[in-house]
Amino acid sequence: MAFDASVLSQIPDYAPNVVKAQSEGLNLADMINQNQMGKLKLSEERQTQAEYAKAKEILGKSDLSTFEGQTRAAQDLTKISPKLGMDFMAKVQSGRSAENQISLEKLQIADAQQDALVGALDPIVAQLSAQRSAGKEPAIIDAQAKNLVIPALLRLRQARPDLQGVIDKFQQDPQNRTYAGILSADQQSQRGSQAIKDRIAQMNA
């Protein structure tokens, strides 16, 4: 059936403009959505500001000098905002990881130093102990101890400049130039070396 164009003239002027109505309806809906989004963003911003204010109060009252205090603060933060709690704990863990790495490096340096001391004193103790077992007089053994330990410490000072402070402190005590003093220092160095190695193993674990 052919379209009769004359029907267009029969449509009154007050008839609804469907296209215009749809366009205006979409514009209105868009305005409503923008208004709602604006209110939502404003509400979110207010909530975020309130959370930050509470977080600041919590951190201000917390003891952040210990890991236990930091953990409690993270738990309190999580109660007001899981994200804030997780972010704070992530920073705590990152900081502790860096601190542990520094501590581990310091222990490894101390371990190397203790090993160097033990390595210098062990042969002297072994030689003096053999002389004592052979029945030599204590005075003779002490004289031999002085003759052995002074050049040994000089060689150690040259090989390990980082041990200068330790060597100076060791030489300040006259007892450390006797068999008993060297034996005691060697035993202490061995115990210290083992304690450091145990601590390193714990940290690595």
Side-chain angles (χ1 to χ4, degrees):
M1 180 178 178
F3 173 68
D4 185 0
S6 64
V7 299
L8 294 175
S9 62
Q10 299 175 9
I11 299 176
D13 294 337
Y14 56 82
N17 188 329
V18 178
V19 175
K20 182 179 180 182
Q22 289 179 343
S23 177
E24 290 178 349
L26 291 174
N27 289 337
L28 180 60
D30 185 54
M31 289 176 60
I32 293 174
N33 289 336
Q34 290 181 0
N35 187 41
Q36 289 176 340
M37 288 296 294
K39 290 181 178 179
L40 181 60
K41 290 181 179 179
L42 180 60
S43 176
E44 290 176 349
E45 289 177 359
R46 288 176 177 173
Q47 181 179 352
T48 300
Q49 291 176 358
E51 289 174 351
Y52 283 157
K54 291 180 181 178
K56 185 177 181 180
E57 182 180 355
I58 289 173
L59 295 177
K61 294 180 179 179
S62 301
D63 179 12
L64 303 179
S65 62
T66 65
F67 181 64
E68 291 75 13
Q70 294 168 351
T71 302
R72 283 193 294 269
Q75 293 172 346
D76 292 338
L77 289 174
T78 302
K79 293 177 182 178
I80 63 172
S81 170
K83 184 178 184 305
L84 284 178
M86 291 175 62
D87 289 347
F88 177 77
M89 201 60 199
K91 291 180 180 180
V92 169
Q93 295 289 2
S94 176
R96 284 182 61 80
S97 178
E99 290 176 0
N100 288 340
Q101 182 61 34
I102 293 173
S103 298
L104 181 60
E105 291 173 358
K106 288 181 178 179
L107 284 172
Q108 290 171 339
I109 292 173
D111 184 38
Q113 291 176 337
Q114 287 294 328
D115 284 346
L117 286 172
V118 171
L121 296 178
D122 267 355
I124 298 175
V125 170
Q127 187 173 342
L128 296 177
S129 296
Q131 293 180 11
R132 185 180 182 185
S133 298
K136 285 191 176 182
E137 295 292 331
I140 296 177
I141 296 176
D142 285 343
Q144 184 67 11
K146 182 178 180 180
N147 291 334
L148 290 174
V149 75
I150 292 177
L153 292 178
L154 179 60
R155 290 192 297 271
L156 183 60
R157 186 193 298 272
Q158 293 173 343
R160 297 293 301 269
D162 57 308
L163 292 177
Q164 181 174 344
V166 177
I167 295 172
D168 288 343
K169 184 177 180 181
F170 180 87
Q171 290 180 320
Q172 287 173 2
D173 188 352
Q175 183 68 17
N176 290 332
R177 292 191 288 272
T178 66
Y179 169 66
I182 295 172
L183 176 62
S184 176
D186 185 46
Q187 291 173 342
Q188 290 179 8
S189 295
Q190 289 180 6
R191 288 194 295 269
S193 178
Q194 187 57 50
I196 293 173
K197 285 178 170 59
D198 291 343
R199 180 58 179 155
I200 291 175
Q202 291 175 359
M203 293 186 69
N204 286 330

